[in-house]
Amino acid sequence: MTIAIMQPYIFPYIGYFQLINAVDKFIIYDDVNFINKGWINRNNILIGGKAHMITIPLKDASQNKLILEVELARHEQWQKKLLKTIQQSYQKAPGYQKVFELIEEIVNLEVETINELTIYALQKTCAYMGIGTEIVPSSTIYNNKHLKGQDRILDICKQEQANHYINPIGGVELYDKGKFENEGIRLDFIKSISSPYPQFKNAFVPWLSVIDVLMFNGPEEIRKQLEAYELI
């Protein structure tokens, strides 16, 4: 059993989906504190050949709240504005029609929290990309909020009887391979490899939202993108 654990991000970059695709079960870490100015409710798309931040507005977001407690802003204008921005930016992209329908369905979902929206978005996007990994919110199962950091991750691994845990490369300084090995768990870090693709006639801008990947790549190219990484 190979697992990964990550906070929920909205329309994250391809590396997030590489991680989901690399494991048997993906745990959405939604019962930890919200991070202001993180990637939970925002990401970058391509506008005018450059990275441009899109943001889903939230109500009273605070690092004193758990991610699953943070509510979406209670007005509809942001949905219309976001969809119009994406439409104007990508309407001439080869994958626009199907991908925009997917995004429109996600953005217009009637839910209360950013967590619900993000989980739905991840599930729908994974299905579109052909990723069959099971996705589970941490808040629904593990009952271990009293643990912190590496100890909590290890506890989830044990509860899942996992023998392999994969973490994003940014966690190299946070996790101790020796401690995982002592528990009979292999620890690897996933490092994405940039795989340029045509973005209209612009110079390639890497690591944008998965929206960009889907707009410019067909199923075969998407599979190649999902496999463009190494484990360290």
Side-chain angles (χ1 to χ4, degrees):
M1 167 72 81
T2 302
I3 70 171
I5 304 169
M6 278 288 291
Q7 295 169 352
Y9 293 168
I10 193 71
F11 299 122
Y13 86 123
I14 189 65
Y16 194 105
F17 291 95
Q18 290 170 345
L19 181 60
I20 298 176
N21 191 52
V23 300
D24 301 306
K25 181 177 285 189
F26 184 78
I27 291 118
I28 295 177
Y29 215 19
D30 62 346
D31 53 352
V32 294
N33 289 80
F34 180 83
I35 298 174
N36 289 325
K37 298 183 179 180
W39 298 104
I40 295 169
N41 66 317
R42 62 183 193 159
N43 218 292
N44 286 306
I45 64 170
L46 187 74
I47 296 182
K50 297 180 180 180
H52 176 84
M53 183 74 73
I54 54 172
T55 302
I56 293 178
L58 305 174
K59 178 186 176 183
D60 301 327
S62 167
Q63 295 189 175
N64 295 320
K65 292 182 178 180
L66 301 181
I67 294 170
L68 59 82
E69 297 172 333
V70 177
E71 296 181 4
L72 296 166
R74 295 184 181 277
H75 59 81
E76 297 182 3
Q77 294 305 311
W78 72 262
Q79 287 100 331
K80 294 176 182 177
K81 182 179 178 181
L82 175 59
L83 289 171
K84 185 175 181 180
T85 298
I86 294 170
Q87 180 184 42
Q88 291 176 338
S89 301
Y90 289 105
Q91 59 189 344
K92 294 183 180 179
Y96 170 76
Q97 194 63 47
K98 289 185 177 180
V99 177
F100 188 77
E101 289 175 5
L102 171 71
I103 296 167
E104 191 173 34
E105 178 185 350
I106 291 167
V107 169
N108 286 328
L109 183 70
E110 294 186 6
V111 289
E112 298 293 323
T113 67
I114 185 63
N115 190 50
E116 292 172 291
L117 181 65
T118 302
I119 291 173
Y120 183 78
L122 288 173
Q123 291 171 332
K124 295 294 290 188
T125 306
C126 281
Y128 185 91
M129 298 172 81
I131 299 172
T133 302
E134 181 181 3
I135 297 176
V136 177
S138 61
S139 59
T140 62
I141 299 179
Y142 304 105
N143 193 29
N144 61 2
K145 287 191 289 184
H146 60 286
L147 299 174
K148 302 295 181 184
Q150 182 172 254
D151 291 333
R152 192 173 182 195
I153 299 298
L154 277 166
D155 184 69
I156 293 174
C157 287
K158 291 176 187 177
Q159 289 192 48
E160 289 290 351
Q161 297 183 320
N163 57 8
H164 189 192
Y165 175 70
I166 303 178
N167 198 81
I169 192 68
V172 169
E173 302 297 327
L174 301 176
Y175 298 104
D176 181 357
K177 283 200 173 193
K179 191 167 183 179
F180 277 78
E181 288 174 5
N182 289 339
E183 300 291 345
I185 301 167
R186 173 184 168 189
L187 171 62
D188 283 320
F189 298 94
I190 190 168
K191 182 180 180 181
S192 298
I193 300 168
S194 180
S195 300
Y197 51 84
Q199 294 170 324
F200 301 126
K201 295 181 180 181
N202 305 301
F204 181 65
V205 181
W207 313 131
L208 298 176
S209 163
V210 70
I211 291 171
D212 193 82
V213 174
L214 299 180
M215 288 290 187
F216 290 112
N217 293 277
E220 185 176 342
E221 290 77 19
I222 289 170
R223 296 306 303 176
K224 291 179 181 177
Q225 291 281 335
L226 287 173
E227 295 167 4
Y229 66 85
E230 57 182 336
L231 294 180
I232 298 172

